[in-house]
Structure formats: structure tokens, C-alpha cells
């Protein structure tokens, strides 16, 4: 429980700092990110419990990565992150999950995600800010990537890349869980 509270305090601090840097009021951030002012007030007081979609909308609106909202200051040049040390940011009803493993620094950050998609389970994502590119590398199983309503099967050993500023969905297919590494390449901007 202490880990969860510490993570929420870090998130609270980072959201408030990014909002202040962007010169946005709570009302304006809420309007742009489509998040209620009450939810933002609670989050900035480290009392909220935002879901994954809310974090993505806040990050996109603030021009930062999701992990920039969640991570403390990097203390070492080399970071080794174990999947079991990272809490899932999304869990599906059938056992699917997504874990944000890390984000590279610099003006054009890249997020590295580890996903498991159970057969038939899907995660629909809203369009991200212009310039965001995602790649999906399937390491085991099969999935269907749906971009702008068009389905693209992706199997173990294959990688797909697409502009993520349009609606997209990840769907597990086949009979076994699909394991994949997703990268989110953010456009240059404030980190």
C-alpha cells in the first residue's frame, strides 16, 4: 500500500508541475483533457485514482509522456526495470494488461510498454496528439491492430508501426495470449 501511496504522490506532484509549466488553470486543463475539475483537484492532492485513459489524456494535453507523469527523477544512467516491479496501468476483464516499463529522456521521448492480450479481449485507444507514432512488436501469439476501422493482423515475429493520432484498438486473437512490446514515440517538445 505504501508503494501505491508513493506513486500517487509522485503523480500528483508531476501533474501539478506540468500544469504550472504549461500555464494552465485546473479549469482549462480539465476542459482540454476532458477530465472533471473535481478529479483534477483530487489528483493534485494525491487523493485521486485516475484510470489509464485519464492519464493518457492528461499527458497528451500537457505535452508530456505518461511515464513523465509517473516517474520520479532518474538517479542512474542505466535503468533496468523488471516487469513484476511495475504495476499494470490497464487490466482487462479476461486478464489482459499493459505495463509502462520506462520512458527514454530527451526532447523526443519514447515509452516502452509490455502488453498481454487475452484472446478476444481488446483495448480501444483514443487518438493521441499529432506526431505520436506507435510500434507494436508481437513476441508470442497473435493480435489484430485496428487503425481507423481497418484491421491489421500481427503475429509473433512481426512489428507494425502507425501514426497514433487516429483511433486505434489492440485486440488479442487466436487461442493463446498475445505478448507484445509497444513503443510510443512522442514528438519533440517539453518533457
Amino acid at each position: 500500500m505504501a508503494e501505491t501511496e508513493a506513486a500517487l504522490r509522485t503523480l500528483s506532484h508531476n501533474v501539478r508541475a506540468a500544469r504550472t509549466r504549461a500555464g494552465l488553470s485546473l479549469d482549462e486543463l480539465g476542459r482540454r483533457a476532458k477530465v472533471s475539475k473535481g478529479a483534477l483537484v483530487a489528483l493534485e492532492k494525491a487523493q485521486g485514482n485516475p484510470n489509464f485513459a485519464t492519464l493518457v489524456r492528461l499527458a497528451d494535453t500537457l505535452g508530456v509522456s505518461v511515464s513523465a507523469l509517473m516517474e520520479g527523477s532518474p538517479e542512474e544512467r542505466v535503468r533496468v526495470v523488471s516487469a513484476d516491479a511495475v504495476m499494470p496501468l490497464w487490466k482487462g476483464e479476461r486478464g489482459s494488461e499493459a505495463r509502462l516499463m520506462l520512458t527514454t529522456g530527451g526532447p523526443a521521448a519514447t515509452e516502452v510498454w509490455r502488453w498481454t492480450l487475452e484472446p478476444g479481449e481488446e483495448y480501444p485507444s483514443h487518438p493521441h496528439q499529432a506526431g505520436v507514432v506507435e510500434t507494436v512488436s508481437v513476441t508470442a501469439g497473435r493480435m489484430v491492430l485496428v487503425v481507423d476501422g481497418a484491421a491489421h493482423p500481427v503475429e509473433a515475429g512481426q512489428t507494425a508501426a502507425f501514426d497514433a493520432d487516429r483511433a486505434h484498438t489492440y485486440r488479442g486473437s487466436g487461442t493463446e495470449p498475445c505478448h507484445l512490446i509497444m513503443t510510443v514515440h512522442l514528438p519533440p517538445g517539453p518533457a
Side-chain angles (χ1 to χ4, degrees), residues 9-132:
R9 282 192 305 274
T10 299
L11 175 63
S12 169
H13 174 268
N14 292 343
V15 168
R16 186 174 35 259
R19 179 179 63 78
T20 301
R21 275 193 312 274
L24 297 175
S25 67
L26 285 167
D27 288 323
E28 185 61 15
L29 176 57
R31 185 186 67 73
R32 291 183 186 184
K34 298 182 177 127
V35 176
S36 75
K37 182 179 178 182
L40 288 174
V41 168
L43 178 59
E44 287 196 5
K45 289 182 177 180
Q47 298 170 345
N49 185 18
N51 64 30
F52 178 53
T54 298
L55 292 177
V56 170
R57 286 195 306 272
L58 287 171
D60 282 350
T61 302
L62 292 166
V64 299
S65 65
V66 172
S67 63
L69 294 179
M70 306 205 45
E71 289 182 343
S73 305
E75 297 165 356
E76 299 179 19
R77 290 189 177 264
V78 175
R79 289 180 288 161
V80 177
V81 181
S82 175
D84 59 355
V86 179
M87 296 283 294
L89 288 180
W90 170 75
K91 284 187 173 188
E93 292 179 7
R94 298 180 187 173
S96 298
E97 63 179 30
R99 296 172 189 257
L100 177 58
M101 300 303 294
L102 60 87
T103 299
T104 62
T110 299
E111 297 175 351
V112 179
W113 293 80
R114 213 178 255 277
W115 285 71
T116 300
L117 290 170
E118 295 295 330
E121 191 157 42
E122 65 180 38
Y123 178 80
S125 180
H126 75 285
H128 300 300
Q129 66 187 7
V132 173

Side-chain angles (χ1 to χ4, degrees), residues 147-172:
V147 180
D148 276 341
H152 305 275
V154 186
E155 299 185 6
Q158 294 181 323
T159 299
F162 63 98
D163 293 332
D165 61 351
R166 50 201 64 182
H168 51 283
T169 299
Y170 303 113
R171 181 182 310 133

